[in-house]
Amino acid sequence: MSAERVLLVIGGGIAAYKCLDLIRRLREQGVAVRCVLTAAAKQLVSPLAVAALSGEKVFDELFSLTDEAEMGHIRLSREADLVVVAPATADLLAKMANGLADDLASTLLLATDKPVLVAPAMNPHMWAHPATRRNVERLRADGVAILGPAEGDTACGEVGAGRMVEPAELLRAILARLRPGPRPLQGLRALVTSGPTHEPIDPVRFVANRSSGRQGHAIAAALARAGAEVMLVSGPVTIPDPGGVRTVHVETAREMAEACLAALPVDLAVCAAAVADWRPETVPAQKIKKTPGGSPPTVRLVENPDILASLARHPTARPRLVVGFAAETGDLEAEARAKRAKKGCDWILANDVSEGTGVFGGTRNRILLITGEGPAEPWPELAKEAVAEKLVARIAEFFARRAS
Ligand code: CTP
C-alpha cells in the first residue's frame, strides 16, 4: 500500500510557521505531504524550508509553465487523500466559500474532489465578523471540516478565538481522517527484524545476501498502522525507514540479536530478516592482501546466533506470538514444518526463493502460511505490502481470540 498523501495549502497567517512542525510530524507518521503556498504565505515561511521538510517540490504559481507541464493543477488537487488548509486566513475562507479561483491555492480548492480540512487562524474580530461567520457556515454546509480556531493570545496582541490549533491536534485530526479504520493492535508492542546482515571478512569486505528489507519494512509499517508500538531492527538496506516505527540500524547478526533481546518484553515478534547463518570466525584488523604467487585465503565460518529461536525459546520473556519466515528451495511445506518445530516459533511464512521466483530483492511474494493449527494455507502471489496487510489481519485475529 502506498503512503497516504496530504496536500497542505499553507495560507498567509503568522501561524504558517506551525506548518513546518506539522509537516515533520506527518512525515514521521509515514504520510507524504505536498505543499502549496499562497503568495502571502511565502512572506512568512520559506519555500525552501517547506521543500526540505516535505521532501517534495513546493507549488506556488498557477501559471508556472514547468509546474503545468509536469503536473497540472487539476492533478495536483486530486492526487491527495486529504486536502488541509492551514492556516486558513479570512481571505482564503472567503474565497473558498464563494468559489473564487484567482491563484493556485484557491483554484486547487475549487478543483479538488477530496475531503477538505481547514484550520482557521486570524484576528478574533475577523473571526467574529458576520462575513466570516457566513463564510464558515457555508463551508460547513459544503462539507468542509473546520478545526478550531483555539482561544487565547493572537499574534496581533488581541485575545479571543483566532489562534490556529496546535500541530499535535491538527495531526490527530488528519490521521483520524486518513486512517479511520479500527486500530486492532492498539496497546501491543511488536518487534520486527528486516533486511540482510553483513558479516565482515576484513575491514572492507563482507558476506551478505540479496535481501532488500522490503517485506520486513512493510510488515513493520502495517503493524504500526494497526496501532501497535513497533520497533524495527534493520540490517543494511537502501529503502527508507517506515513512518511511525522506531527503527534501529545494525550491521551484523550479533548486533541484530543484541538489539532484539534488548527490545523485550514485546507481545509479538516477526523475524523477516535474512540473517546470515555464518560469520567469518576471525576478522583481521587490516585488509587481507594478495601475496604474489600465494594461494587465495580460506575463510573459516562459525555459526551466528539464531534470533528467531532465541526469541521463541526465551526462558522469561517469550513474546505471545512469534512469527518466522522460511526461505526454501526444496519441498516448501515439509521444510517449513520442520523449521517451525526446530525454532519453536508459532507461525512460519514459507516462501520459495528458488532462482527465477524473484522473491529475494523483488517486490512480490507468494506465501504458504503454517500456523500449526489445520492445514497449510497457500496465499496468492501478492505485493509485499499486501502480504504485510494480510499477515497483520491474521495477527489481529489471533490477539482478538486471545482477548475474548
Ligand atoms: N533467522 C534468525 N536468525 C538466524 C537465522 C535465521 O532469526 N541466525 C530467522 C529468519 O529471520 C527467518 C527464519 O529464521 O524468520 C528462517 O530463516 P531461514 O534462512 O529460512 O532459515 P535458517 O535458520 O537459515 O535455516 P536454513 O538456512 O538451514 O534453511
Side-chain angles (χ1 to χ4, degrees), residues 182-189 220-230 244 392:
R183 290 166 66 80
L185 299 182
Q186 190 89 46
L188 296 183
R189 282 163 56 92
L223 286 168
R225 280 197 295 275
E229 186 191 322
V230 185
V392 169

Side-chain angles (χ1 to χ4, degrees), residues 376-393:
E377 210 182 279
W379 292 0
E381 188 188 299
L382 297 166
K384 287 182 174 173
E385 288 79 5
V387 168
E389 291 293 341
K390 210 167 153 63
L391 174 63
V392 169

